[in-house]
Amino acid sequence: MMTRKLPIIALATAPGRSGVGVVRISGPKLENIIWALFKKTLTPRQATVLTLRDASGRVIDQLLAIYFTAPASFTGEDVVELQCHGGPQLLELVMKRCLILGKNEGLIIAQPGEFTLRAYLNNKIDLAQAEAIADLIDAQSEAAVLGAARSLQGAFSDDINSLIEDITQLRILVESTLDFPEEEIEFLENAQARSRLEAVSSKLATLRQGAQQGKILRDGIELVLAGAPNVGKSSLLNRLAGEDVAIVTPIAGTTRDRVKESIILDGVPMHIIDTAGLRDTNDELEAKGIERSWGAIRLADLVIFLQDANSQNDTVDELREQILREIPPKCPVLEVGNKADLLEGVHLKNRLNQEISLISAKTGEGVEALKSKILTTIGWGGTQEGAILARRRHLDCLDRAADHLHKSEEFALNGNSSLELFAEELRLAQNQLGQITGKLLPDDLLGKIFTQFCIGK
Ligand SMILES: Nc1nc2c(ncn2[C@@H]2O[C@H](COP(=O)(O)OP(=O)(O)OP(=O)(O)O)[C@@H](O)[C@H]2O)c(=O)[nH]1
Ligand SMILES: [Mg+2]
């Protein structure tokens, strides 16, 4: 995939009926293909009405073509976009005809993400921007669209590059001292080096925080509603979703399988999972459901441990222990007491003597406050202004960069300081940052990233 130089073609618009369907072709040289298709040469960047005919001269479609010549195009190669009528059969005929007439030039069907890959390989965009294109297409909320657009404009990449530049300057400073061992100690005590390192660390911390928000905005949160049977988990799901997605009955053990519903909370996609009530049971079907509840808890980003505010007993403590054992590391648990409408003036406290949120899934009381609490618990700052969109991959690179910076600090500031190791850790930190924009990315990772794109992009 990495080295294909042949011209490629794909439907750029979604399959199905639509007003217009766009077929896109990109390749090192498209003049011959254009001639083969239309017996015409096209003026670049000018819309031209053309007729595409089948082998026996019958008109397949009258379409609008726009031709971009390399390097001034999306991919950096020659690109021609054919705006056809948007019928699925028609577009298939157009594609087939193009493939036949472009055969001599080696025209082939594009792989997912191949147009964007070529844009990346031709330095039209960096890797973070290429990912932002896919994220823009997949964005699940308005805030995610704006964040992806900002990343695509290069906001994230600019921050990364500026940090890389700062580290480069620091490395130049260090490496120029390396040849003079007697100056090492002096250097490491040099306030300038130290304050620069601190500045780099704090810049990285800010970037990490932004990327964490960006990851939440992109992927949303797996929010699992867990608790004993009959406490009102399904009722809460329905309340949050604003519709009856799960069955609610007074019978304990109503929910047998996970029910998932996604909502947008303050721009953040929340994938809410209602689960079967947790208890010991001899019912085979219910037991299977409960096993799935635990499965969901093990993959949660946030667990709401729902309780009946009116009947607190030992099983609550037992269940809490169990849930805390099963959740993934760093997954917060929010304890919530439901059925507050039946409660009179009592406030619930959990084992840690913290007051827990009280709500009524039935009347809606406390649910707005719970929504805000959910957002603060997952660390959502609520500042969408200036937000970028980020991926797990970016966060991992930033985390590793932070580790290396931290180590470099130790080598610089501890008793057993070593300038070589200090410089090496700086290099490794820089390496991790470079992977975000793709400058220093292993080839196999590149393939993985682009195959997740949709076809035609
Ligand atoms: N008064 C009152 N009743 C509620 C409230 N929330 C739920 N209920 C009732 O409690 C019963 C159980 O509600 P569900 O939402 O099915 O409870 P669940 O936790 O999903 O139960 P399982 O699926 O069996 O685990 C139903 O009769 C609901 O109407 C509430 O806030 N106040
Ligand atoms: Mg239920």
Side-chain angles (χ1 to χ4, degrees):
M1 174 178 185
M2 294 303 130
T3 52
R4 305 213 307 179
K5 285 271 184 266
L6 293 172
I8 48 173
I9 182 170
L11 183 61
T13 42
R17 295 166 68 238
S18 59
V20 176
V22 177
V23 170
R24 178 152 58 179
I25 305 175
S26 175
K29 272 220 149 306
L30 292 187
E31 269 170 12
N32 291 348
I33 290 183
I34 292 170
W35 183 260
L37 291 176
F38 306 110
K39 297 286 176 283
K40 284 220 166 102
T41 50
L42 294 179
T43 312
R45 301 179 166 269
Q46 186 176 301
T48 313
V49 178
L50 295 169
T51 306
L52 185 68
R53 295 173 184 276
D54 70 8
S56 45
R58 292 175 301 186
V59 174
I60 296 174
D61 196 16
Q62 194 169 51
L63 53 88
L64 200 60
I66 306 177
Y67 178 38
F68 303 88
T69 42
S73 72
F74 171 59
T75 59
E77 302 179 321
D78 282 356
V79 170
V80 65
E81 288 189 1
L82 308 176
Q83 302 183 7
C84 312
H85 291 92
Q89 289 301 329
L90 161 67
L91 288 166
E92 204 172 310
L93 273 182
V94 171
M95 287 276 296
K96 269 191 191 150
R97 190 72 187 135
C98 290
L99 281 165
I100 290 170
L101 294 174
K103 200 169 170 210
N104 279 346
E105 300 295 316
L107 184 64
I108 46 175
I109 294 178
Q111 291 175 346
E114 199 169 359
F115 290 93
T116 315
L117 173 67
R118 289 182 179 202
Y120 165 70
L121 292 175
N122 290 325
N123 292 319
K124 302 295 286 188
I125 46 174
D126 68 25
L127 190 58
Q129 288 172 304
E131 290 171 314
I133 291 177
D135 291 344
L136 189 58
I137 291 169
D138 290 337
Q140 299 173 58
S141 70
E142 187 182 327
V145 168
L146 296 175
R150 226 170 270 124
S151 293
L152 179 54
Q153 296 304 308
F156 188 37
S157 309
D158 288 349
D159 286 347
I160 298 288
N161 288 333
S162 133
L163 196 56
I164 290 178
E165 178 55 30
D166 290 352
I167 299 180
T168 304
Q169 291 304 323
L170 197 53
R171 282 181 62 193
I172 291 172
L173 201 68
V174 183
E175 273 156 27
S176 61
T177 320
L178 275 177
D179 297 334
F180 307 98
E182 66 280 6
E183 288 174 23
E184 269 200 26
I185 306 297
E186 236 170 84
F187 171 85
L188 291 168
E189 283 165 2
N190 181 331
Q192 198 199 5
R194 191 176 296 202
S195 68
R196 276 205 204 179
L197 187 58
E198 276 165 12
V200 166
S201 293
S202 93
K203 212 164 166 178
L204 177 60
T206 312
L207 247 177
R208 268 171 98 193
Q209 206 182 4
Q212 257 151 11
Q213 302 284 305
K215 159 89 172 49
I216 293 175
L217 208 51
R218 176 182 185 266
D219 297 336
I221 291 292
E222 296 275 317
L223 165 56
V224 174
L225 305 177
N230 227 22
V231 294
K233 300 177 297 298
S234 301
S235 305
L236 178 56
L237 172 69
N238 292 346
R239 173 62 67 181
L240 290 170
E243 56 180 312
D244 280 346
V245 282
I247 298 170
V248 169
T249 75
I251 306 159
T254 298
T255 304
R256 292 300 173 97
D257 207 348
R258 285 171 297 196
V259 182
K260 194 166 176 175
E261 186 68 21
S262 294
I263 62 165
I264 303 288
L265 215 57
D266 193 27
V268 179
M270 293 276 161
H271 313 294
I272 308 172
I273 301 159
D274 176 27
T275 59
L278 303 164
R279 65 171 169 186
D280 291 331
T281 176
N282 291 322
D283 180 324
E284 200 181 331
L285 185 60
E286 189 181 5
K288 281 221 156 73
I290 291 172
E291 194 31 61
R292 289 186 167 209
S293 302
W294 288 115
I297 290 167
R298 283 180 207 118
L299 293 174
D301 294 313
L302 170 68
V303 172
I304 288 192
F305 174 28
L306 197 65
Q307 299 153 32
D308 183 338
N310 301 277
S311 64
Q312 289 288 297
N313 53 37
D314 286 350
T315 58
V316 170
D317 288 332
E318 247 170 63
L319 211 47
R320 178 188 298 116
E321 291 298 325
Q322 253 179 308
I323 290 173
L324 290 175
R325 267 201 306 275
E326 296 291 337
I327 49 170
K330 290 192 199 161
C331 168
V333 177
L334 248 183
E335 294 200 31
V336 178
N338 188 31
K339 309 196 186 184
D341 52 296
L342 303 176
L343 205 65
E344 282 170 13
V346 191
H347 290 277
L348 271 191
K349 294 197 169 180
N350 68 7
R351 187 177 47 110
L352 305 166
N353 214 24
Q354 297 155 331
E355 263 185 28
I356 73 174
S357 304
L358 283 182
I359 62 157
S360 166
K362 188 175 175 186
T363 67
E365 176 191 339
V367 173
E368 284 309 309
L370 176 62
K371 286 182 185 170
S372 316
K373 196 153 181 189
I374 290 171
L375 290 169
T376 45
T377 307
I378 59 168
W380 177 240
T383 45
Q384 290 164 18
E385 214 50 50
I388 46 118
L389 225 57
R391 300 176 164 210
R392 172 87 264 154
R393 184 183 85 78
H394 303 147
L395 270 188
D396 289 346
C397 289
L398 289 171
D399 284 350
R400 287 193 292 262
D403 281 349
H404 288 302
L405 267 194
H406 185 71
K407 277 191 203 143
S408 78
E409 259 164 5
E410 283 176 0
F411 286 124
L413 308 175
N414 280 358
N416 56 348
S417 53
S418 153
L419 215 50
E420 267 97 357
L421 293 173
F422 174 60
E424 175 61 7
E425 292 299 335
L426 284 183
R427 191 186 66 79
L428 291 170
Q430 208 172 21
N431 202 310
Q432 288 299 328
L433 294 171
Q435 290 194 16
I436 294 177
T437 49
K439 283 194 188 105
L440 299 158
L441 196 78
D443 266 2
D444 54 330
L445 265 183
L446 206 57
K448 254 190 216 154
I449 290 167
F450 281 97
T451 46
Q452 284 162 14
F453 276 57
C454 58
I455 296 228
K457 197 58 230 178

